[in-house]
Amino acid sequence: LAPAVGIQSDEPRLRQLALRLVEGRRDVLEATRALVDWVYTYLEKEGTVSVPDALATLDAGRGDCNEHAILL
């Protein structure tokens, strides 16, 4: 959960979004499913030739499996 290059887990926008998506969910599996479902439906599936970055992916709203994983 610690921030790393391309994974800005301490970024307020990402934290607020994640908290909003899991709000009211007490079960870890249910919360995880909410995050996975949101990423799957939010991001357009599109091949990219870039280094994945969570914030850039959120802003672009599209990416391949690497962008999906980095945003999740």
Side-chain angles (χ1 to χ4, degrees):
L1 297 177
V5 174
I7 305 173
Q8 301 91 344
S9 58
D10 58 348
E11 166 62 38
R13 286 182 8 199
L14 290 174
R15 293 178 59 79
Q16 290 169 0
L17 173 61
L19 289 172
R20 190 182 86 230
L21 293 171
V22 301
E23 185 175 11
R25 295 172 179 16
R26 300 233 187 275
D27 180 70
V28 173
L29 184 57
E30 184 183 330
T32 303
R33 173 55 60 198
L35 294 170
V36 169
D37 288 347
W38 186 87
V39 168
Y40 181 79
T41 41
Y42 173 75
L43 293 181
E44 290 181 36
K45 286 66 175 169
E46 180 179 295
T48 61
V49 187
S50 64
V51 176
D53 177 274
L55 278 177
T57 300
L58 179 66
D59 291 340
R62 64 181 179 276
D64 60 21
C65 59
N66 293 313
E67 282 75 24
H68 281 85
I70 207 86
L71 182 55
L72 181 60

